[in-house]
């Protein structure tokens, strides 16, 4: 299957869903964007990697991984978002050491955070982009392509996409709202998620059960 190269467009924070962020990837050739819901820690790590002049006092987990990889001559050559299942993106790291390539599974948020630090290209398959890619404010971009002012209140969020990303995050929150299910149904869904290795969904179901 053909691969589409992606670049990191920015990170948008939801003002209605606490702790929810959307990582915005866009195809290098084209106008579609790929929003991916990520956690606060991963959002912070990606934002710090994007801004070269920001350095935390102690290395974050992804910085530590980069230091270890450098010490042992391991290079991340590319990141591939290779699967989309039940709204969850799955990715792999293509690594190389001493001329030998290895492919390692990774959460997409971790994979992107590492790709930025290794200056590694990011790809996804065409069928994933066809299913999940969206065009945000296309008409506004055509009318005012160069004269928008930056929003300094959130340097990682594009002004032209903020409102629609907010809507995307709200829809994701609704999709992950399990409050209407009974305890028995939640336990069954949790077991199925664990069997399918859908650990992100399993964590959400576990949190809902803990509320009960």
């Amino acid at each position: 299957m053909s691969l589409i190269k992606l670049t990191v467009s920015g990170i948008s924070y939801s003002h209605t869903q606490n702790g929810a962020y959307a990582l915005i990837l866009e195809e290098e050739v084209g106008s579609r964007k790929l929003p991916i819901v990520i956690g606060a820690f991963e959002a912070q790590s990606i934002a710090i990697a994007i801004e070269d002049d920001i350095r935390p006092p102690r290395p974050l987990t992804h910085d530590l991984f980069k230091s270890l990889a450098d010490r042992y001559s391991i290079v991340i050559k590319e990141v591939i978002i290779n699967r989309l299942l039940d709204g969850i993106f799955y990715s792999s790291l293509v690594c190389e050491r001493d001329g030998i390539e290895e492919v390692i599974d990774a959460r997409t948020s971790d994979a992107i955070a590492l790709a930025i630090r290794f200056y590694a290209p990011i790809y996804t398959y065409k069928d994933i982009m066809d299913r999940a890619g969206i065009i945000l404010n296309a008409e506004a971009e055509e009318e005012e392509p160069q004269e928008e002012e930056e929003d300094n209140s959130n340097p990682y969020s594009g002004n032209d996409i903020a409102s629609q990303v907010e809507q995307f995050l709200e829809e994701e929150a609704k999709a992950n709202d399990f409050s209407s299910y009974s305890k028995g149904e939640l336990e069954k869904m949790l077991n199925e998620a664990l069997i399918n290795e859908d650990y992100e969904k399993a964590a959400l179901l576990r949190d809902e059960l803990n509320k009960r």
Side-chain angles (χ1 to χ4, degrees):
M1 291 184 288
S2 60
L3 289 171
I4 294 175
K5 190 174 182 179
L6 304 171
T7 59
V8 177
S9 175
I11 298 172
S12 181
Y13 174 70
S14 172
H15 296 283
T16 58
Q17 303 296 327
N18 291 334
Y21 292 81
L23 170 66
I24 311 299
L25 304 175
E26 60 182 331
E27 52 186 348
E28 190 173 66
V29 179
S31 58
R32 291 177 298 179
K33 292 177 172 60
L34 195 66
I36 300 174
V37 175
I38 61 176
F41 170 77
E42 291 79 9
Q44 178 192 54
S45 181
I46 291 171
I48 288 174
I50 291 173
E51 294 296 313
D52 293 332
D53 58 341
I54 298 177
R55 286 289 178 270
R58 294 184 297 171
L60 302 178
T61 303
H62 299 111
D63 297 319
L64 177 60
F65 185 100
K66 176 67 163 57
S67 297
L68 284 170
D70 289 344
R71 180 67 59 88
Y72 293 100
S73 302
I74 300 170
V75 176
I76 294 180
K77 296 181 63 179
E78 60 186 22
V79 164
I80 300 176
I81 302 173
N82 54 23
R83 190 156 59 109
L84 174 59
L85 180 64
D86 295 331
I88 305 297
F89 292 91
Y90 297 80
S91 296
S92 59
L93 304 171
V94 180
C95 305
E96 183 180 73
R97 181 173 185 267
D98 296 333
I100 299 174
E101 281 193 4
E102 297 284 349
V103 178
I104 301 173
D105 289 334
R107 295 193 309 167
T108 297
S109 54
D110 291 329
I112 301 301
L114 291 172
I116 296 171
R117 286 166 169 79
F118 281 87
Y119 302 102
I122 303 165
Y123 299 96
T124 192
Y125 290 112
K126 182 179 181 299
D127 69 314
I128 293 178
M129 200 67 186
D130 290 341
R131 289 163 55 197
I134 58 177
I135 297 177
L136 300 174
N137 280 0
E139 294 179 0
E141 289 174 1
E142 290 174 0
E143 293 173 3
E144 300 179 296
Q146 299 295 333
E147 300 187 8
E148 294 183 355
E149 295 182 359
E150 292 186 1
D151 180 3
N152 293 326
S153 64
N154 186 354
Y156 310 114
S157 172
N159 297 332
D160 61 322
I161 63 175
S163 62
Q164 293 192 42
V165 168
E166 182 81 8
Q167 181 181 356
F168 168 80
L169 288 167
E170 290 177 3
E171 291 173 353
E172 284 291 312
K174 290 178 182 177
N176 294 324
D177 182 8
F178 304 109
S179 58
S180 62
Y181 292 91
S182 68
K183 185 177 179 181
E185 289 173 325
L186 290 171
E187 291 173 344
K188 181 179 179 181
M189 292 166 66
L190 175 59
N191 289 331
E192 290 175 351
L194 291 172
I195 292 172
N196 295 326
E197 299 183 355
D198 188 350
Y199 298 119
E200 294 190 41
K201 184 176 181 180
L204 293 171
L205 290 164
R206 178 206 59 203
D207 292 342
E208 182 63 33
L209 281 168
N210 288 339
K211 291 179 186 177
R212 308 292 178 92

